[in-house]
Amino acid sequence: MEIKDQEKSYDPAVAESKWYAYWEGLSLLRAEPARPGDSYCIVIPPPNVTGSLHMGHALNVTLQDVLIRYHRMLGKNALWLPGTDHAGIATQNVVERLLANEGVDRQSLGREKFEERVWKWKEESGGVILNQLKRLGAACDWSRERFTMDEGLSRAVREAFVLLHRKGLIYRGRYIINWCPRCLTALSDLEVAHVETKGGLYYIRYPELSGRRNVVVATTRPETMLGDTAVAVHPKDERYAGSIGVTLRLPILNRPIPLLTDEMVDPMFGTGAVKITPAHDPNDFEVGKRHDLPAVRVIDDAGKMTGEAGPFAGMDRFACREAVLDSLRKEGFLVKEEQFLHNVGHCYRCKTVVEPTESIQWFVKTKPLAEPAIRAVQSGETRIIPPNWERTYFDWMENIRDWCISRQIWWGHRIPAYHCLACGLTMVEVDAAERCSSCGSDNLRQEEDVLDTWFSSALWPFSTLGWPDRTEDLSRYYPTSVLVTGFDILFFWVARMMMMGIEFTGRAPFRDVVIHALVRDPKGEKMSKTRGNVIDPLDLMERFGTDAFRFTLLALAAQGRDIRISDERLEGYRNFMNKIFQAGRFVRMHADDNTSKALPSELSAADRWILSRLQRVIEEIRKGIEEYRFNEASSAFYQFTWHEFCDWYLEMIKPSLQPDAPVETRERQRAVLLYVFEAILRLSHPFLPFLTEEIWHSLPGKRGSILTEVYPEADPDRTDVDVEKDMGHLMEIIRAVRNIRSELHVPPAKRVEIRLKGQPEDLAFLSDHEEIILRLARAGKVVHREPEYIPVEDATAVVNGIEVCLPLADLIDFRKEASRLRKEIEKANAELSVVCAKLGNEKFLANAPGDIVEAHRIRKGDLELKLDSLSRNLALVTRYLS
RNA sequence: GGGCGGAUAGCUCAGUUGGUAGAGCAUCGCCCUUACAAGGCGAGGGUCACAGGUUCAAGUCCUGUUCCGCCUACCA
């Protein structure tokens, strides 16, 4: 596995095609509970089996992969457990569509055949996304892959259901729920998406039976009037005081209904009178219960009007709305129509308008489960990151309502309840019941409904580890270390895992919950199929390489902010990948099998400088990863690798790598070079798994996978403040010379002389490292001048009290030089006045900390010195001009 | 209705105990210098949305305003 050196630039396809198989082949991704090390565990948010990789997955998975690889390199016993979710309604819809293409519907196929068909589909197409995760580099332990409907997890679901039922935390009853007339199932409150919709507000006159007076009600859904069984007003509403208790006549159907009072009514809205439809409105349902009103279902499961709707029976609910309005208009009952903006609930899977409907369903009683889940976050047992999501979590948990968990679909965990057809008893059992425990009849029928997909998802962090069995994995890896997820499923999933995790294991399922951003298109719009602005991660990986793609996501992953992905950004990081690759080539040109792996004891200033910088960047990167500030970690790495290691360090050490350098110097230099570069690769392996593995194997020496290397640790003894300062000055001098050369258009080939003027002690370090200045500033020689030296025909700059003079009499355009100096003076003056203003302020001197004041004083001195030199030099130049 | 977030260089965004405003891309010069033109070197560009306040000192803390997102809610 060698890189061909004739390749001029990095070709990601080559590296990406081989290394994943290599890791898998060596079982490097497999976790072993028996191995030592603190455990570090992540369970993947299981993608839907119907899914294919989108940007959200890519970001989510990249973050987790960074964490897993990082902690593995730290020596932790790391497990990343992958899997997929059966995604009840979504999957059923997909397969139903396939069947429709064949001209078959699920009813005619029958439940059993249909389920077989879905399983078959799952086996054939369900694995697509997992292979896509591999392309991303996800270092998951595939030997532990799970599926929410595999045998173990299904048993966990039944077990959980039974335990909750025994505790009275699952119940069955007739309530109003959200019904999707297209999916033909109940939905939980969360599965209803509210969409602001323009509609009408219709005022309808309900006459008193006596005929003397009328009550006018306002409604957005006139068709439901057919199911009205009362009209309600607020008890303190004086407008209706005289009418309370009278009987009204429901228009069209002419049904007598009472006028009653209820606190729920807002007297300020509409007319202050509300029509009550207990069968089709959650509020009305409650009112109906309080007043013992009949509930009349006028809309059936498919959204068609029932026989109760009289003349409208069989009509679609929306057609009926118009028909009812027509009828009311004709008969003079419609007194007013207004435009009205309100929220309409839609099925989150198929976007059909949801119909609130009264029916018999199963529910989880959530309050008792929510309380400990709230406490777990309050106490810090689980941390939510960034913490501003805590409030959202608390708000939802504190106002939680019971969770409707039964679904009238076929694909999912069938509820483990058995109805006795003989005596009517319902039994809830983990294993299929054979006889009625009350009457002994064997005429039992299992509940037809299946569970909400999110019920099994709620068990995911422990069911995947073997629960309800007390497995080795469970005790080793639970509670898990971190959950990485998007905020869109905070309630659907995170909150419920918290509740169930604590209920069944006694412990919150995660140490940390990391909430990351949404990935948007370059214009900042949410990607969606209907908008047609979906960016395919696989396409980006193809075009820019997986590592560049991952690095882009990481660099943009600032906490609490959405990500806009764009080609420009990817290009930049693709170039960075190539930069690292080229640096690898450079290292390979010099280091060989004989190069020492240990750092030599004797180190040049440049070596000590890069090593010192390396310690700092190691700390920054580690801190960034540990605090989930991936953008900070990646940008620290970028900055160091490109602009310090490549731009400065490599350039500085080139001479000592040349054949004419003394052998010992060369060998020492090679050792340091290899050492630092290896550190760079190890540091970035969690970000750039393919590139680093590729280069790692190309370096001299026999090597295993970089995946199993130790992550660099900062060594405080290698940080060297002095050398950082000295080298900083040296670099500034070089920059100053380059600036002058560039501004004055000195020909690149011109070897200028550099005269450094200053106090001997300030010049000492520079004179020791003249060769670096010569090389990087393209100088012919460096000469030191006493402070008394007067640069008559020189271009000049001032850096840290040292005057940099370039004798360029023959080359200088003195007008340009004068304007360059004026610009410098202007800048320095502006800054000086700010600094002086502060130092002249007594309150500043009295209140600001000593080190700040001192820093200002030093700054002032520097600026004055600089101004002094600059203006003197300007005077010289202008004299020359005239 | 409630909550959360955003407004900083032409564009996209960093900026965590308040202490001299940063990056990438784009722009403008110069350069094929033997790792890299997917490159190197240099440069220009910001009254940090607006108005107040706290402080010696505010992009950073507080209050209010405007505009833009998102989440949530049983006003028919």
Side-chain angles (χ1 to χ4, degrees):
Chain A
M1 302 212 182
E2 286 257 314
I3 300 175
K4 290 188 223 96
D5 256 304
Q6 54 265 40
E7 279 171 26
K8 284 289 278 179
S9 52
Y10 176 55
D11 179 4
V14 174
E16 287 165 25
S17 62
K18 58 187 171 193
W19 295 116
Y20 203 93
Y22 169 82
W23 297 322
E24 275 198 298
L26 295 178
S27 295
L28 297 179
L29 312 180
R30 185 172 301 179
E32 290 291 344
R35 254 186 240 149
D38 293 344
S39 58
Y40 187 85
C41 177
I42 304 179
V43 289
I44 203 169
N48 291 352
V49 277
T50 52
S52 70
L53 192 76
H54 60 58
M55 281 295 173
H57 296 126
L59 172 64
N60 179 254
V61 166
T62 299
L63 302 186
Q64 291 173 76
D65 196 47
V66 169
L67 292 170
I68 275 292
R69 288 177 188 267
Y70 171 74
H71 284 96
R72 184 169 281 146
M73 290 176 82
L74 288 185
K76 299 270 179 70
N77 187 321
L79 165 62
W80 187 11
L81 193 149
T84 46
D85 192 289
H86 68 280
I89 300 175
T91 307
Q92 174 156 326
N93 286 351
V94 167
V95 177
E96 276 190 285
R97 269 199 295 277
L98 289 176
L99 287 173
N101 290 340
E102 300 165 17
V104 187
D105 67 32
R106 108 177 121 97
Q107 269 72 18
S108 64
L109 201 62
R111 181 164 191 157
E112 207 169 308
K113 282 262 162 49
F114 179 77
E115 284 182 56
E116 274 172 30
R117 186 61 200 262
V118 184
W119 274 108
K120 184 164 161 262
W121 179 88
K122 188 258 170 188
E123 297 310 328
E124 286 165 4
S125 324
V128 170
I129 191 158
L130 299 179
N131 287 317
Q132 293 172 329
L133 297 188
K134 292 182 185 179
R135 280 214 50 194
L136 248 186
C140 299
D141 179 353
W142 298 102
S143 72
R144 284 179 168 81
E145 178 190 332
R146 302 308 296 264
F147 176 56
T148 48
M149 273 181 50
D150 69 26
E151 213 172 300
L153 269 64
S154 298
R155 189 161 63 89
V157 164
R158 295 196 300 274
E159 185 83 24
F161 189 96
V162 170
L163 289 172
L164 289 172
H165 185 261
R166 285 207 191 122
K167 271 183 111 170
L169 294 177
I170 283 183
Y171 62 92
R172 182 172 183 250
R174 178 178 288 275
Y175 294 92
I176 196 145
I177 45 83
N178 308 292
W179 181 267
C180 175
R182 202 220 60 87
C183 298
L184 297 175
T185 180
L187 300 170
S188 70
D189 294 334
L190 281 178
E191 289 165 309
V192 178
H194 296 276
V195 181
E196 199 159 80
T197 311
K198 250 191 237 163
L201 183 63
Y202 304 96
Y203 291 77
I204 308 171
R205 179 169 62 85
Y206 286 21
E208 285 184 12
L209 210 52
S210 60
R212 281 203 306 273
R213 281 182 297 180
N214 299 293
V215 172
V216 175
V217 299
T219 180
T220 55
R221 304 196 53 202
E223 72 281 11
T224 63
M225 68 157 296
L226 303 166
D228 282 0
T229 52
V231 170
V233 296
H234 194 271
K236 293 200 178 117
D237 192 335
E238 288 170 8
R239 290 171 293 181
Y240 300 101
S243 302
I244 307 304
V246 304
T247 302
L248 305 169
R249 180 168 61 86
L250 185 65
I252 303 177
L253 294 183
N254 296 320
R255 179 162 67 221
I257 56 173
L259 179 72
L260 45 83
T261 63
D262 195 283
E263 297 277 349
M264 172 275 274
V265 181
D266 174 7
M268 305 302 285
F269 185 89
T271 60
V274 189
K275 57 190 273 312
I276 302 297
T277 322
H280 294 290
D281 182 279
N283 285 322
D284 296 3
F285 179 80
E286 295 300 323
V287 175
K289 276 214 292 202
R290 281 197 284 275
H291 299 273
D292 208 17
L293 299 170
V296 180
R297 263 196 82 170
V298 290
I299 301 169
D300 71 9
D301 287 351
K304 299 247 185 311
M305 305 312 290
T306 66
E308 296 284 355
F312 307 99
M315 209 179 252
D316 175 80
R317 55 187 168 147
F318 296 113
C320 177
R321 178 175 302 173
E322 297 309 318
V324 165
L325 285 171
D326 272 351
S327 183
L328 291 171
R329 252 181 230 119
K330 275 195 204 110
E331 295 179 35
F333 289 110
L334 190 64
V335 298
K336 193 161 73 161
E337 301 177 44
E338 286 174 349
Q339 286 271 329
F340 193 65
L341 199 62
H342 64 139
N343 280 314
V344 177
H346 293 70
C347 171
Y348 85 138
R349 284 295 173 211
C350 74
K351 310 296 173 212
T352 303
V353 173
V354 160
E355 189 59 49
T357 303
E358 189 201 50
S359 70
I360 295 175
Q361 302 290 344
W362 294 83
F363 298 86
V364 173
K365 196 171 171 184
T366 44
K367 273 254 180 311
L369 295 167
E371 280 161 16
I374 291 169
R375 280 198 299 275
V377 174
Q378 279 170 342
S379 70
E381 181 185 355
T382 294
R383 297 187 298 180
I384 296 182
I385 297 151
N388 34 317
W389 286 103
E390 276 182 12
R391 181 170 184 147
T392 310
Y393 173 86
F394 289 137
D395 281 354
W396 190 76
M397 280 290 195
E398 281 158 10
N399 299 306
I400 198 164
R401 291 187 312 172
D402 284 358
W403 173 18
C404 175
I405 49 170
S406 43
R407 298 289 177 275
Q408 287 65 48
I409 57 172
W410 289 348
W411 177 241
H413 301 278
R414 199 149 159 190
I415 290 177
Y418 304 85
H419 304 294
C420 173
L421 298 184
C423 72
L425 181 78
T426 293
M427 293 175 291
V428 170
E429 307 285 348
V430 172
D431 299 308
E434 286 178 2
R435 295 200 167 274
C436 175
S437 60
S438 168
C439 72
S441 164
D442 61 357
N443 193 6
L444 301 179
R445 186 133 152 240
Q446 186 174 0
E447 172 67 61
E448 296 282 332
D449 292 355
V450 302
L451 287 165
D452 182 358
T453 294
W454 297 102
F455 188 89
S456 55
S457 310
L459 314 177
W460 183 256
F462 47 100
S463 62
T464 50
L465 293 171
W467 187 91
D469 296 333
R470 306 185 57 160
T471 60
E472 199 182 8
D473 275 5
L474 191 62
S475 57
R476 185 73 160 105
Y477 298 113
Y478 188 90
T480 66
S481 308
V482 59
L483 175 78
V484 180
T485 188
F487 57 79
D488 48 335
I489 50 177
L490 183 61
F491 307 141
F492 274 114
W493 196 44
V494 182
R496 286 162 176 172
M497 285 190 289
M498 289 294 288
M499 294 193 283
M500 295 301 183
I502 296 170
E503 171 67 17
F504 292 117
T505 72
R507 305 187 60 183
F510 327 101
R511 174 80 264 273
D512 292 344
V513 171
V514 174
I515 309 281
H516 64 242
L518 223 60
V519 184
R520 295 171 179 277
D521 80 353
K523 288 185 212 136
E525 291 195 40
K526 206 166 166 174
M527 294 186 204
S528 72
K529 280 188 197 138
T530 48
R531 276 203 187 86
N533 62 346
V534 176
I535 297 173
D536 180 4
L538 294 164
D539 173 56
L540 296 181
M541 285 150 72
E542 197 78 44
R543 285 161 55 213
F544 300 101
T546 297
D547 293 306
F549 174 59
R550 290 170 56 119
F551 201 81
T552 307
L553 292 173
L554 292 166
L556 298 177
Q559 281 185 3
R561 194 147 176 163
D562 288 346
I563 293 176
R564 283 192 208 194
I565 198 107
S566 67
D567 279 9
E568 291 73 30
R569 205 71 195 221
L570 276 149
E571 272 168 31
Y573 292 121
R574 177 203 55 194
N575 297 351
F576 181 45
M577 298 305 108
N578 186 50
K579 189 76 181 177
I580 299 171
F581 176 81
Q582 299 299 345
R585 287 198 351 170
F586 180 82
V587 172
R588 230 175 305 131
M589 282 172 59
H590 296 101
D592 56 32
D593 287 348
N594 298 322
T595 303
S596 162
K597 301 281 269 183
L599 275 180
S601 52
E602 199 179 316
L603 294 167
S604 70
D607 293 335
R608 281 181 285 128
W609 171 73
I610 198 69
L611 287 167
S612 180
R613 296 297 311 146
L614 176 64
Q615 308 316 311
R616 292 186 195 278
V617 82
I618 289 171
E619 268 178 18
E620 274 184 77
I621 293 173
R622 280 179 165 245
K623 185 162 177 275
I625 297 175
E626 264 154 40
E627 295 179 355
Y628 308 107
R629 296 172 189 276
F630 299 97
N631 60 323
E632 290 179 17
S634 54
S635 77
F637 174 73
Y638 181 97
Q639 180 64 29
F640 173 76
T641 301
W642 197 322
H643 298 306
E644 297 191 291
F645 179 74
C646 290
D647 286 351
W648 284 103
Y649 182 67
L650 292 187
E651 294 305 325
M652 289 191 281
I653 65 168
K654 273 177 181 172
S656 43
L657 290 166
Q658 293 310 309
D660 57 353
V663 179
E664 316 80 63
T665 310
R666 210 164 64 212
E667 282 310 319
R668 276 202 304 270
Q669 196 59 75
R670 289 174 171 183
V672 183
L673 172 63
L674 185 62
Y675 177 92
V676 176
F677 189 63
E678 282 195 1
I680 285 174
L681 293 179
R682 289 199 312 242
L683 271 174
S684 60
H685 175 71
F687 307 150
L688 315 171
F690 295 107
L691 175 71
T692 51
E693 189 75 279
E694 176 82 8
I695 300 176
W696 185 255
H697 286 269
S698 77
L699 293 178
K702 201 169 145 41
R703 286 159 193 277
S705 173
I706 191 171
L707 184 65
T708 58
E709 286 289 315
V710 175
Y711 205 75
E713 191 173 355
D715 176 358
D717 293 341
R718 294 248 173 247
T719 27
D720 187 333
V721 185
D722 293 334
V723 86
E724 283 194 41
K725 200 172 119 211
D726 287 340
M727 289 299 289
H729 290 171
L730 178 81
M731 290 186 276
E732 277 190 65
I733 301 268
I734 293 168
R735 268 195 218 104
V737 176
R738 284 168 169 176
N739 176 290
I740 292 173
R741 296 184 61 124
S742 178
E743 298 265 311
L744 299 185
H745 301 293
V746 177
K750 169 83 181 172
R751 292 274 172 193
V752 296
E753 179 183 322
I754 299 174
R755 295 171 180 166
L756 298 176
K757 173 184 154 187
Q759 301 297 337
E761 62 270 26
D762 293 336
L763 296 174
F765 181 84
L766 299 173
S767 68
D768 287 346
H769 299 88
E770 258 171 31
E771 72 286 358
I772 295 179
I773 303 177
L774 287 175
R775 200 182 129 70
L776 299 191
R778 317 195 112 248
K781 63 175 171 178
V782 177
V783 189
H784 289 201
R785 292 290 147 127
E786 304 311 310
E788 296 74 32
Y789 169 73
I790 298 187
V792 182
E793 295 178 335
D794 301 0
T796 57
V798 183
V799 176
N800 297 301
I802 296 168
E803 245 180 279
V804 182
C805 314
L806 304 190
L808 294 166
D810 49 334
L811 286 162
I812 294 185
D813 175 337
F814 281 93
R815 261 192 305 272
K816 264 189 191 151
E817 173 63 359
S819 81
R820 198 183 63 82
L821 288 170
R822 281 196 197 95
K823 203 169 68 186
E824 289 291 316
I825 289 170
E826 203 178 314
K827 257 199 270 186
N829 258 328
E831 205 184 319
L832 182 64
S833 62
V834 171
V835 174
C836 286
K838 281 197 176 184
L839 288 170
N841 183 340
E842 294 208 5
K843 285 181 183 167
F844 174 74
L845 298 176
N847 294 317
D851 54 330
I852 298 290
V853 177
E854 186 54 25
H856 277 76
R857 287 218 173 90
I858 292 171
R859 188 79 194 123
K860 181 172 177 242
D862 284 353
L863 284 168
E864 279 167 349
L865 193 68
K866 182 171 184 171
L867 277 167
D868 191 46
S869 311
L870 285 173
S871 21
R872 201 178 52 242
N873 293 341
L874 178 61
L876 288 171
V877 168
T878 43
R879 192 181 317 156
Y880 203 86
L881 266 178
S882 53

